[in-house]
Amino acid sequence: MLDKFFNIKQHGSTVKTEVVAGITTFFTMVYIIFVNPAILSSVGVPFDQVFMATIIAAVTGTLIMGLLAKYPVAIAPGMGLNAYFATVVASQGLSYQTVFGAIFVAGIIFILMSVSNLRQMILEAIPSTLKYAITSGIGLFIAFLGFKQSGLIVANDSTLIGIGDLTAPVTILSIVGLFITLILMVRRVPGALFIGMAVTAVIAGICGMLHYEGVMSLPPTPVFFDMDIAGVFTNGLYAVIFAFLLVTIFDTTGTLVAVTEQAGLMKDGKIPRAKKAFLGDSVATTIGSMFGTSPSTAYVESTTGVTAGGRTGLTAVVVAALFLVSMFFSPIVGMIANMAAITAPVLIIVGCFMMEGLSRINWPSFDDAFPAFVTILIMPLTSSISTGIAFGFITYPVLKLFSGKGKQVHPIIYIFAVLFLIQLVFFPAH
């Protein structure tokens, strides 16, 4: 039944592989159910409210992605967008209820764009050069996250980043976990990424690095419709809506391009069932705002599940189920999520797999090469997928125009080049 619904065999996968892929994705992104409440509670939103809202948004969006679009992509409230939420509340002296209202309005617009052809037109207008660059840029970004979480690289006043303390327990465990997983990968052991995570977790437990605080706990009661929609218009938060909308659209677009390209699901530069896929983040954003969390987006950590063999929506359904279960097992989930050494090696390895598209970029043509280069470089340097895409969208049409190839650029790219320039200058969402 599962095979028939998800076409698992047709995609060269198995139910077991899809389940393992879902578990792998879940444990690389589950940190969000603890990090998101920590960020939003800093501006007054109750921690328990955000905890439940984060899970509700993740389950909603990921189920849509798995059951309707049938892609191995997970949705959850986005990092960066939550920080922007906190910045808007703190800097403009607004209540968090009013900003939730702005997210709700953005979500409704988002849904309307998703059911129309607009988002699909944007996706299909992106030139192949930038699609390959987006995938590779996300690969560097996700590997950078892994290196940072492991402590292998740290902030440095002189050089921005530098080598970390290789004698720190978490860093040592990360290195050990990385080489265990690498050896499993080169030996072609099925489920190598998941086995590597499991072995690393066992070592952490033996070394006393996991802080056990129980197994189960009753989840908090969700809070519904804690927002002020009228305040959005009385305070004129149109720029805030614009920033949330633009960043969320291109975060998910970039991640969808990367995941489907990596999984071999993209056909002739197009993503089948794109409209259904776009409903995932837009509905999750709207529902999430009603319960009390920042906008949702497709997670780059979904690439870990694809690397583990996930090719269908069953991977996403497993992720959604685990998010649902996590509200009852928050102590044990938190214990694993707070140990970066367990997930960091997976992120580093996945980053390597995502660099394959570099060979398909037209490097001899400078008006193709530079936009690709700047897209790839900016993502890890700014820790923002949408900012990397913005730089690519701005430089690509300019270089094509002045090289006499302006007619090769889709009109939508010119429009978004202007919109991205306005957003980066006046409404930076970081």
Side-chain angles (χ1 to χ4, degrees):
M1 184 177 175
L2 286 174
D3 177 57
K4 187 176 181 181
F5 183 80
F6 291 107
N7 296 319
I8 294 172
K9 287 183 181 177
Q10 184 180 325
H11 287 92
S13 185
T14 65
V15 171
K16 180 183 175 182
T17 299
E18 297 293 312
V19 171
V20 170
I23 296 171
T24 303
T25 297
F26 173 75
F27 278 112
T28 55
M29 65 177 287
V30 69
Y31 64 85
I32 193 61
I33 68 174
F34 302 101
V35 175
N36 200 43
I39 292 174
L40 268 60
S41 63
S42 68
V43 290
V45 190
F47 187 97
D48 286 349
Q49 178 181 346
V50 186
F51 176 80
M52 290 302 294
T54 301
I55 292 174
I56 290 168
V59 171
T60 301
T62 306
L63 279 179
I64 291 172
M65 192 65 78
L67 295 175
L68 292 184
K70 299 182 182 179
Y71 284 125
V73 178
I75 304 286
M79 290 296 293
L81 288 163
N82 49 17
Y84 180 61
F85 173 96
T87 301
V88 171
V89 174
S91 65
Q92 298 190 27
L94 299 166
S95 69
Y96 67 79
Q97 289 91 345
T98 301
V99 184
F100 281 143
I103 296 171
F104 178 78
V105 173
I108 296 298
I109 298 171
F110 210 9
I111 291 173
L112 294 175
M113 290 178 66
S114 299
V115 297
S116 69
N117 291 322
L118 183 56
R119 288 187 71 181
Q120 190 160 352
M121 285 172 61
I122 294 169
L123 179 64
E124 293 174 2
I126 301 174
S128 296
T129 291
L130 289 185
K131 284 179 179 174
Y132 297 136
I134 288 166
T135 303
S136 300
I138 290 176
L140 277 186
F141 173 39
I142 203 168
F144 179 76
L145 288 177
F147 279 112
K148 189 166 67 171
Q149 289 175 11
S150 68
L152 281 165
I153 58 172
V154 295
N156 183 294
D157 291 338
S158 302
T159 59
L160 293 182
I161 58 171
I163 191 74
D165 180 4
L166 300 185
T167 63
V170 172
T171 306
I172 292 173
L173 182 58
S174 297
I175 295 171
V176 170
L178 177 61
F179 276 96
I180 288 172
T181 311
L182 286 171
I183 291 168
L184 291 170
M185 294 291 292
V186 297
R187 296 297 301 173
R188 301 183 184 276
V189 175
L193 292 178
F194 177 72
I195 294 171
M197 290 169 66
V199 172
T200 307
V202 170
I203 295 172
I206 293 172
C207 296
M209 296 172 67
L210 295 178
H211 305 291
Y212 178 77
E213 295 181 1
V215 177
M216 294 185 68
S217 65
L218 287 174
T221 303
V223 177
F224 183 66
F225 219 77
D226 185 21
M227 65 174 70
D228 176 16
I229 297 177
V232 176
F233 302 101
T234 56
N235 288 283
L237 299 184
Y238 308 111
V240 173
I241 293 171
F242 170 73
F244 277 134
L245 200 57
L246 197 61
V247 173
T248 310
I249 286 173
F250 283 94
D251 261 1
T252 295
T253 301
T255 302
L256 267 178
V257 167
V259 176
T260 53
E261 173 69 27
Q262 186 189 2
L265 300 172
M266 190 178 286
K267 297 178 180 177
D268 301 320
K270 298 180 181 180
I271 299 176
R273 306 179 302 282
K275 278 189 182 181
K276 292 178 180 178
F278 289 144
L279 278 174
D281 58 348
S282 56
V283 172
T285 293
T286 309
I287 296 295
S289 68
M290 295 167 72
F291 283 93
T293 188
S294 45
S296 295
T297 183
Y299 259 60
V300 291
E301 286 84 352
S302 301
T303 54
T304 62
V306 171
T307 303
R311 293 293 181 272
T312 75
L314 181 56
T315 294
V317 170
V318 171
V319 175
L322 290 173
F323 266 112
L324 198 60
V325 170
S326 69
M327 70 173 69
F328 296 96
F329 290 88
S330 59
I332 196 77
V333 170
M335 179 180 72
I336 296 173
N338 290 327
M339 175 47 62
I342 296 173
T343 56
V346 176
L347 299 179
I348 294 169
I349 292 169
V350 169
C352 171
F353 278 97
M354 296 183 69
M355 303 306 291
E356 183 186 359
L358 285 176
S359 63
R360 286 180 272 180
I361 294 172
N362 186 15
W363 293 110
S365 174
F366 188 73
D367 51 11
D368 280 321
F370 186 81
F373 164 75
V374 77
T375 300
I376 294 166
L377 187 65
I378 291 295
M379 283 189 193
L381 292 184
T382 61
S383 294
S384 170
I385 294 170
S386 60
T387 302
I389 294 173
F391 273 75
F393 267 55
I394 292 168
T395 55
Y396 184 84
V398 170
L399 295 188
K400 287 294 182 183
L401 191 63
F402 282 92
S403 63
K405 304 174 186 174
K407 291 182 180 180
Q408 295 179 9
V409 182
H410 197 289
I412 286 179
I413 303 297
Y414 287 110
I415 293 170
F416 275 96
V418 175
L419 291 177
F420 268 126
L421 188 60
I422 293 170
Q423 188 252 320
L424 288 174
V425 174
F426 298 104
F427 317 115
H430 53 71

